[in-house]
Amino acid sequence: MFKKILIANRGEIACRVIQTAKRMGIATVAVYSDADARAPFVKMADEAVHIGPAQAAESYLVADKIIAACKQTGADAVHPGYGFLSERASFVEALDKEGIAFIGPPASAIAAMGDKIESKRIAKEAGVNTVPGSPDAIDTTEEALKWANDIGYPVMMKASAGGGGKGMRLAWNDTDVKEGFEATQREGKNSFGDDRVFIEKFIEDPRHIEIQILGDKHGNVIYLNERECSIQRRHQKVVEEAPSPFVTEKMRKAMGEQCVALSKAVDYHSAGTVELIVSGADKTGESFYFLEMNTRLQVEHPVTEAITGVDLVEQMIRVAAGEKLEMTQDDVTIDGWAIENRVYAEDPYRGFLPSTGRLVRYDPPLPGWTNDGSANGRRGVDGVRVDDGVFEGGEVSMFYDPMIAKLVTWGETRDEAADLQVLALDAFEIEGLGHNVDFLSAIMQHERFRSGELTTGFIAEEYPEGFEGAPADEQLLRRLSAMAGFMATATSDRAKRVDQQLNGAPDPQYDWAIRIGETSRDVTITEDEIVVDGEAIDLSMEYTPGDRIVHALFDADEDGEGGDPLTVQVRRTNTGLALTTRGATHELRILPAHVAPLAQHMIEKEPPDLSKMLICPMPGLLVSLHVEEGEEVQPGQPLATVEAMKMENILRAEKEGTIAKINAAEGDSLAVDAVILELE
């Protein structure tokens, strides 16, 4: 077994690998850039080596620096995590030359599966179902148009070395190909150093299913069931679960056996994932096709660990050390249901734009996961697990992936796991930057998610106009009104207790008018009950003015058992409270009942008109301007392209007008809300 492992990665996956290595009695080495000098994974490791500036191309992506760090510290193996060098065959070959073990598959398998064109050919030869498409790379837009028309729209343009949702564009017509082909080439070049692009048929109403593979160096390969990863945005996974609500035992076996055959065809060992696309229209489950193979650990591996009890990182280490798998296919079981939500630094209320910055407050529902080595422990505490690599006061940098944390829940049933997600997300405190916690909670509550009728178009179909918060029913609004009345009374009572007030202590207030949206509710607080619009509400809660989190229980029995729990994040506003729960923030105007009638005489401030300005929606680089001053533009016309998180975003005109003034130049770094140009 290895004595010391270097983790060639950062963030939560570096913390994850360190956890298992330490449990196995193996020393660990972290490598870090300037941006990560104070990161948790650096402190967790036994040793840490600085490898360069924040830019990944000058630090985490430089193989020579990783190898030098191994030599400096005496590390005899490298775990690559995911991303960065994890799927670079040349890195594995360089480690081999230095006598350093790579905790992952052989270079030959990485090379074969990392090339989407070659991997598709191998899959076809191995008897795996494949999607119709171009057999080789396409060089020009004209050639892309020919292939797209031959295959038939819609088609997907993919960078051959792409992954993680980058280097992929959907085209519904010739215009989409003309606008997107060269951008796909650039994204492939910038993100992966490879601008080859191919085209394949886009399967409509698709489900994204993946099979977890595990093999050793002795020819043994097994599959550890499937994961459902259909809920995606811009081809980036948002929610993953295991097992899939769509996959039958027969389908699971057929998929698994084909994926094992593919793995054996390239002499695969270690953990890996074969991604499949499944036609949601085919209820037989037989229309599944090979998409790609990820020759590394997946971001969503915890859900597989939760239902199988297998520590995938430990198995990767043992396989790399030459050990045989101790389990066979017959040993693989499914116990319960697990769901993972990716908590991202992105603002769903502003079109999911990246939102980098400092974590002014970071308080997850429970501390980061610790690996105690038990199968049950892989499910976290009471079925809740947080995998993270950030800290309060730290930054989510523009240089790396915007993930803040992974929230994993496990339950006996799918609904139980989803309910745990909602409760945990309600208690997930993040301030200082935009985040998608509300959006994740909305998905977990969505009727379509609960039904299991998922496709990769879920987000686009269910939120076509963007996200504005999860809808709240009348029961939730009444409960929030009751809680707000209780909190307002507690605050009033505290004011009464202040000594030496000039006019004496004010009379405490017990009757309130609480307005949420367009509806006002009368709330009365007595010693025995809380009444909302004349109806008593059974509420149990504690609140001290200043509390940021309040836990309440509604309709419990006489012994305080059962009932409906509700966790609410509290923020004071000028006119009352902002209560965040169940996927939305609700602004409550709270007034004493005798003052409320005067509120109608208050003048409300109108927001300024920003429709004549093109405002940069995220921090990024202005790659190109498509218009000039004095030019007339039409709705939908491209005005500027901004690159953020290695993704190009085309900003378009929302209405007809003439360009009056351009305030930025190509190559400028733009802050969020910077005015790029103005129309007249």
Side-chain angles (χ1 to χ4, degrees):
M1 183 49 67
F2 306 118
K3 294 182 179 179
K4 186 180 291 187
I5 292 174
L6 182 144
I7 297 90
N9 217 298
R10 62 177 298 280
E12 60 88 16
I13 188 57
C15 295
R16 166 71 185 90
V17 176
I18 291 171
Q19 288 265 11
T20 290
K22 285 194 170 185
R23 183 178 59 78
M24 296 174 69
I26 303 171
T28 57
V29 180
V31 291
Y32 65 94
S33 69
D34 290 345
D36 286 331
R38 297 173 57 226
F41 75 94
V42 176
K43 298 177 181 179
M44 286 179 64
D46 298 302
E47 300 175 69
V49 179
H50 176 251
I51 56 170
Q55 292 83 352
E58 299 179 45
S59 51
Y60 296 108
L61 285 170
V62 183
D64 289 345
K65 291 186 176 182
I66 304 298
I67 292 172
C70 288
K71 292 179 177 179
Q72 176 184 332
T73 58
D76 50 355
V78 170
H79 194 299
Y82 44 73
F84 296 137
L85 298 172
S86 63
E87 294 180 282
R88 188 168 295 185
S90 60
F91 177 55
V92 182
E93 292 168 347
L95 289 173
D96 287 342
K97 289 180 181 179
E98 299 294 339
I100 302 169
F102 178 72
I103 301 175
S108 58
I110 294 175
M113 293 294 102
D115 185 327
K116 287 185 170 58
I117 297 171
E118 176 67 8
S119 65
K120 187 175 179 181
R121 182 190 64 78
I122 295 173
K124 199 168 186 177
E125 291 178 356
V128 181
N129 303 339
T130 57
V131 181
S134 61
D136 299 302
I138 295 169
D139 298 322
T140 66
T141 300
E142 290 71 24
E143 190 180 352
L145 285 167
K146 180 181 181 301
W147 269 106
N149 282 279
D150 287 346
I151 296 168
Y153 288 107
V155 298
M156 183 70 78
M157 298 176 288
K158 295 184 177 181
S160 183
K166 295 183 175 66
M168 299 173 66
R169 285 179 185 262
L170 178 61
W172 292 93
N173 49 48
D174 286 0
T175 300
D176 291 343
V177 174
K178 291 175 183 177
E179 287 188 359
F181 181 75
E182 291 182 3
T184 306
Q185 287 183 315
R186 286 195 298 271
E187 287 181 5
K189 183 70 173 178
N190 294 338
S191 298
F192 311 103
D194 186 343
D195 64 358
R196 290 179 302 152
V197 173
F198 71 102
I199 290 179
E200 67 181 19
K201 180 69 176 177
F202 176 71
I203 306 298
E204 297 187 67
D205 296 326
R207 297 181 79 115
H208 187 119
I209 308 291
E210 58 188 34
I211 300 291
Q212 176 68 58
I213 291 295
L214 184 62
D216 62 25
K217 296 181 179 180
H218 305 277
N220 302 304
V221 182
I222 61 175
Y223 61 93
L224 279 70
N225 307 315
E226 81 284 351
R227 294 186 287 259
E228 171 82 57
C229 305
S230 295
I231 297 184
Q232 305 177 5
R233 193 187 63 78
R234 294 185 68 174
H235 314 296
Q236 182 73 48
K237 299 167 191 172
V238 177
V239 181
E240 302 102 349
E241 58 182 307
S244 165
F246 179 71
V247 174
T248 63
E249 184 57 42
K250 178 182 176 182
M251 185 179 176
R252 180 177 297 118
K253 187 173 186 292
M255 285 180 165
E257 289 177 351
Q258 284 195 20
C259 295
V260 166
L262 174 62
S263 302
K264 289 185 175 181
V266 293
D267 297 323
Y268 197 90
H269 61 251
S270 192
T273 296
V274 181
E275 301 198 351
L276 304 167
I277 193 165
V278 185
S279 173
D282 182 4
K283 299 304 181 182
T284 68
E286 294 176 358
S287 299
F288 62 87
Y289 305 96
F290 170 75
L291 194 60
E292 64 180 342
M293 184 174 189
N294 293 310
T295 54
R296 53 170 169 78
L297 192 67
Q298 290 281 91
V299 176
E300 57 271 22
H301 73 274
V303 294
T304 296
E305 294 183 328
I307 67 165
T308 63
V310 177
D311 186 325
L312 287 171
V313 173
E314 177 182 349
Q315 292 303 315
M316 292 180 73
I317 294 171
R318 293 192 181 281
V319 165
E323 295 185 13
K324 286 185 177 181
L325 293 179
E326 294 184 351
M327 70 193 80
T328 67
Q329 193 63 59
D330 291 338
D331 297 322
V332 179
T333 60
I334 297 178
D335 182 10
W337 214 287
I339 298 175
E340 174 181 295
N341 274 308
R342 300 188 186 191
V343 180
Y344 280 129
E346 62 182 16
D347 192 345
Y349 293 99
R350 301 184 63 179
F352 299 93
L353 295 172
S355 181
T356 56
R358 189 170 300 282
L359 287 164
V360 176
R361 187 179 306 285
Y362 176 73
D363 191 5
L366 74 171
W369 177 70
T370 55
N371 189 353
D372 66 2
S374 70
N376 200 48
R378 282 184 263 289
R379 297 168 179 166
V381 178
D382 296 328
V384 180
R385 167 177 166 179
V386 175
D387 283 22
D388 60 12
V390 300
F391 64 100
E392 188 169 280
E395 283 195 62
V396 176
S397 169
M398 65 178 287
F399 298 105
Y400 312 120
D401 187 272
M403 184 186 293
I404 297 172
K406 300 185 308 195
L407 178 64
V408 184
T409 55
W410 177 90
E412 294 285 352
T413 65
R414 186 170 184 266
D415 279 342
E416 185 179 329
D419 289 343
L420 281 174
Q421 281 283 342
V422 174
L423 290 172
L425 288 165
D426 281 347
F428 212 128
E429 287 190 272
I430 301 174
E431 293 180 16
L433 43 71
H435 58 81
N436 66 339
V437 168
D438 283 356
F439 181 64
L440 296 174
S441 180
I443 292 175
M444 293 296 99
Q445 300 171 69
H446 201 288
E447 288 183 6
R448 181 173 165 189
F449 174 79
R450 291 299 180 116
S451 74
E453 294 296 322
L454 311 177
T455 70
T456 55
F458 177 92
I459 291 176
E461 292 161 6
E462 299 302 327
Y463 302 97
E465 303 300 323
F467 179 70
E468 297 180 352
D473 59 20
E474 177 61 22
Q475 182 187 61
L476 177 60
L477 296 178
R478 288 174 58 81
R479 288 178 171 182
L480 291 178
S481 298
M483 293 179 69
F486 184 95
M487 288 185 270
T489 298
T491 302
S492 173
D493 185 65
R494 185 179 66 169
K496 174 187 175 183
R497 300 172 187 274
V498 176
D499 292 336
Q500 300 181 6
Q501 297 186 58
L502 292 178
N503 296 320
D507 294 330
Q509 297 293 323
Y510 301 107
D511 296 306
W512 305 94
I514 298 178
R515 189 177 186 84
I516 307 178
E518 299 300 318
T519 304
S520 182
R521 294 172 176 81
D522 296 323
V523 179
T524 299
I525 310 295
T526 70
E527 291 185 1
D528 300 321
E529 61 183 3
I530 299 175
V531 178
V532 178
D533 288 340
E535 182 180 340
I537 287 185
D538 184 357
L539 166 63
S540 175
M541 63 177 280
E542 294 183 3
Y543 174 74
T544 299
D547 286 350
R548 301 192 314 271
I549 292 271
V550 176
H551 302 284
L553 187 64
F554 291 89
D555 300 327
D557 61 26
E558 294 182 357
D559 298 323
E561 300 294 331
D564 297 329
L566 182 64
T567 297
V568 177
Q569 297 185 33
V570 182
R571 175 172 55 84
R572 298 203 67 82
T573 66
N574 290 334
T575 57
L577 297 172
L579 303 183
T580 302
T581 189
R582 294 297 191 268
T585 296
H586 302 275
E587 299 278 350
L588 282 71
R589 172 180 277 190
I590 305 174
L591 296 172
H594 67 280
V595 174
L598 304 176
Q600 59 183 314
H601 302 294
M602 299 296 292
I603 300 174
E604 295 189 9
K605 183 178 180 181
E606 295 185 4
D609 180 15
L610 303 177
S611 64
K612 294 183 178 181
M613 302 177 183
L614 180 66
I615 297 174
C616 187
M618 82 289 278
L621 177 71
L622 182 58
V623 176
S624 59
L625 282 165
H626 305 295
V627 293
E628 299 177 350
E629 289 185 3
E631 183 176 340
E632 294 183 357
V633 297
Q634 300 297 320
Q637 182 176 337
L639 301 180
T641 299
V642 176
E643 181 184 294
M645 296 290 181
K646 297 184 180 178
M647 298 288 284
E648 292 189 359
N649 303 272
I650 300 175
L651 308 183
R652 302 176 184 273
E654 294 186 0
K655 65 179 184 179
E656 183 179 351
T658 302
I659 305 299
K661 181 180 180 183
I662 294 178
N663 301 315
E666 293 181 357
D668 285 357
S669 292
L670 303 175
V672 64
D673 292 335
V675 178
I676 300 173
L677 55 83
E678 300 173 31
L679 292 87
E680 61 181 17

